[in-house]
């Protein structure tokens, strides 16, 4: 398989935790919209559960009921399965006992043309990061308080 680097966008991942077992598929329509508009491509999707006693289980979409994952089941045939067993074990450590989580790995298709343009211009990515929403809200609230 030949991969053209100019056609690839950056890949991100996240873990979203839900208290108890509250997976219900409500996020599926938003994710589907992003995929339908070619903004992202879902590369991996995994569901985790940690019982109160700390025991853990990992599930794929095919292991869960439609009422838990909604339209997310439609991605199971397209997944690249990028997460290793060690990745899953490490992610399990981030989840609080008595919680469920969804792990999503996606390619940012929208960014591929920008990345290609940077490379063609002789540039390269040397740093990247993400600012948590909570930090942005705190900064905005701090600015508002200073302005009062």
């Amino acid at each position: 398989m030949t991969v053209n680097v100019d056609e690839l966008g950056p890949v991100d991942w996240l873990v979203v935790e839900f208290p108890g077992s509250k997976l219900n598929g409500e996020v599926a329509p938003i994710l589907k919209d992003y995929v339908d508009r070619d903004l992202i491509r879902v590369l991996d999707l995994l569901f985790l559960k940690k019982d109160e006693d700390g025991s853990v289980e990992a599930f794929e979409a095919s292991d869960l009921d439609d009422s838990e994952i909604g339209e997310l089941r439609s991605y199971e045939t397209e997944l690249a399965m990028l997460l290793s067993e060690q990745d899953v074990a490490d992610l399990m450590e981030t989840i609080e006992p008595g919680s469920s989580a969804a792990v999503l790995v996606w390619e940012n298709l929208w960014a591929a043309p920008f990345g290609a343009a940077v490379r063609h211009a002789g540039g390269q990515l040397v740093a990247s990061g993400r600012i948590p929403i909570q930090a942005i809200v705190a900064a905005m609230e701090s600015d508002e308080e200073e302005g009062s």
Side-chain angles (χ1 to χ4, degrees):
M1 177 177 163
T2 304
V3 177
N4 181 350
V5 70
D6 286 344
E7 295 175 3
L8 297 174
V11 174
D12 286 321
W13 62 274
L14 59 73
V15 178
V16 180
E17 181 181 81
F18 300 92
S21 185
K22 296 191 177 189
L23 297 174
N24 60 20
E26 283 185 43
V27 299
I30 300 296
L31 193 59
K32 182 181 182 317
D33 177 54
Y34 293 163
V35 170
D36 289 349
R37 291 191 291 148
D38 290 329
L39 298 174
I40 69 166
R41 176 173 41 172
V42 176
L43 299 176
D44 209 344
L45 181 62
L46 186 65
F47 302 93
L48 310 174
K49 182 178 179 186
K50 184 182 275 188
D51 291 330
E52 290 293 343
D53 66 3
S55 60
V56 293
E57 291 180 86
F59 303 93
E60 294 181 5
S62 59
D63 299 325
L64 299 171
D65 186 80
D66 284 346
S67 66
E68 295 174 292
I69 62 170
E71 296 176 54
L72 295 178
R73 182 173 313 287
S74 65
Y75 300 114
E76 65 189 346
T77 60
E78 302 168 10
L79 301 180
M81 303 297 187
L82 298 176
L83 298 171
S84 70
E85 285 186 34
Q86 186 61 54
D87 292 332
V88 175
D90 292 344
L91 292 172
M92 289 285 200
E93 295 297 318
T94 67
I95 302 167
E96 291 295 320
S99 296
S100 298
V103 180
L104 176 66
V105 180
W106 73 94
E107 177 188 3
N108 292 289
L109 296 174
W110 61 268
F114 176 77
V118 167
R119 286 186 295 280
H120 289 227
Q124 66 180 359
L125 179 65
V126 295
S128 181
R130 184 145 291 158
I131 301 170
I133 288 293
Q134 296 88 337
I136 293 171
V137 170
M140 292 171 67
E141 288 173 351
S142 176
D143 285 349
E144 285 178 10
E145 289 173 11
E146 289 176 14
S148 299

